[in-house]
Amino acid sequence: MSRFPFFNRSNTIHSTKSELSQKPYLHQHHLDRSGSLSQSYGSVESVKTSIRGRMVKKLCNLFESSKPLGSSEEESESVPSSKSRSDSCTLFRLSGTEDRIVVYLTSLRGIRRTFEDCNAVRMILKGFRVWVDERDVSMDWGYREELQRVLGERHVALPQVFVRGKYVGGADVIKHLFESGELAKILEGFPKLKPGFVCESCGDVRFVPCENCSGSRKVFDEDEGLLKTCSQCNENGLLRCPYCCV
């Protein structure tokens, strides 16, 4: 035997084996660690699955009604009945629009639900390939005042749809009519646009910069030698597109 026991390989091996035999909890400890790793990995996977499920559910709800239509009680609360819709059509009328579809909406993203509802209604109507008179209240404040005057309310939710001058309703009503097939009957008789049609003048924005002031809202009066506010455009220096909004 060597004078230095730590150089003796047999002694080292035997001592290691004896220590392992005397301490069986070491093997159990390794097993427990592997088990805990698998358990933690499984918990992480379950968390990821639940997060993905919630994200998919949110994406699916973007263009769906806020309340399911399976319950008649919830449906009656969220979507007006045909009788109430007919009553509202007789009460609220938009004069001068008997030959068109008018939608009051907003292009601003300030309120996410409102912006999503406006986009959903636009996409539904666009699928029928009919021309829609889109009146963006964020581009022209006069349209908000016009809508408030027609509906007789100061605070009006967007979007709001009128067909042939008759009031139809908001986003929930349009979605319900589209799903039930009634919207196609309401839109019968309107001329169809060419697939992919886009106004070359405004790009379907329905507004163009004012030609009188170039969108600055200021014009120079040569007689008085002063700058004056342009009287031909709105508060944003815009005019309705003269080609597609006649």
Side-chain angles (χ1 to χ4, degrees), residues 78-80 85 167-178 183:
S78 59
V79 180
R85 284 199 300 271
Y167 175 65
V168 179
D172 291 336
V173 174
I174 297 300
K175 291 176 184 177
H176 174 68
L177 293 176
F178 174 67
L183 185 60

Side-chain angles (χ1 to χ4, degrees), residues 36-231:
S36 62
L37 286 175
S38 62
Q39 291 177 0
S40 61
Y41 179 76
S43 62
V44 171
E45 286 296 320
S46 62
V47 170
K48 289 182 178 179
T49 304
S50 62
I51 293 175
R52 283 197 297 268
R54 288 197 297 268
M55 291 177 65
V56 171
K57 186 176 181 181
K58 288 182 179 180
L59 290 174
C60 292
N61 289 333
L62 287 181
F63 296 100
E64 295 179 356
S65 303
S66 58
K67 294 183 180 181
L69 298 179
S71 174
S72 59
E73 182 177 346
E74 292 181 352
E75 182 178 353
S76 61
E77 292 178 358
S78 59
V79 180
S81 61
S82 58
K83 183 178 180 181
S84 62
R85 284 199 300 271
S86 62
D87 293 341
S88 63
C89 289
T90 56
L91 286 175
F92 308 117
R93 297 185 67 88
L94 188 61
S95 60
T97 61
E98 288 76 12
D99 61 340
R100 64 186 62 189
I101 305 165
V102 179
V103 180
Y104 290 89
L105 46 78
T106 179
S107 58
L108 294 181
R109 301 171 181 261
I111 302 177
R112 180 177 179 180
R113 177 63 184 275
T114 301
F115 178 74
E116 292 172 353
D117 286 342
C118 291
N119 275 347
V121 170
R122 288 187 69 221
M123 291 299 103
I124 289 174
L125 296 176
K126 191 174 183 179
F128 289 95
R129 288 172 47 200
V130 292
W131 181 78
V132 179
D133 185 358
E134 298 178 1
R135 302 189 175 184
D136 193 339
V137 300
S138 61
M139 302 285 278
D140 193 331
W141 189 257
Y143 286 141
R144 177 178 291 276
E145 297 176 350
E146 181 181 75
L147 180 61
Q148 292 173 343
R149 183 172 60 254
V150 172
L151 298 182
E153 296 181 6
R154 183 176 180 182
H155 300 285
V156 181
L158 296 174
Q160 297 295 336
V161 181
F162 292 80
V163 178
R164 294 186 177 92
K166 299 178 181 178
Y167 175 65
V168 179
D172 291 336
V173 174
I174 297 300
K175 291 176 184 177
H176 174 68
L177 293 176
F178 174 67
E179 293 171 357
S180 63
E182 296 181 16
L183 185 60
K185 300 177 181 178
I186 295 175
L187 301 181
E188 286 181 356
F190 285 100
K192 299 291 184 179
L193 299 175
K194 294 181 180 180
F197 172 79
V198 177
C199 178
E200 296 180 356
S201 177
C202 66
D204 282 350
V205 180
R206 305 292 187 261
F207 290 93
V208 294
C210 177
E211 296 181 355
N212 187 40
C213 65
S214 300
S216 65
R217 298 191 63 211
K218 297 293 183 181
V219 291
F220 182 75
D221 190 341
E222 296 181 355
D223 296 334
E224 299 183 7
L226 297 174
L227 284 175
K228 292 186 177 181
T229 303
C230 180
S231 60

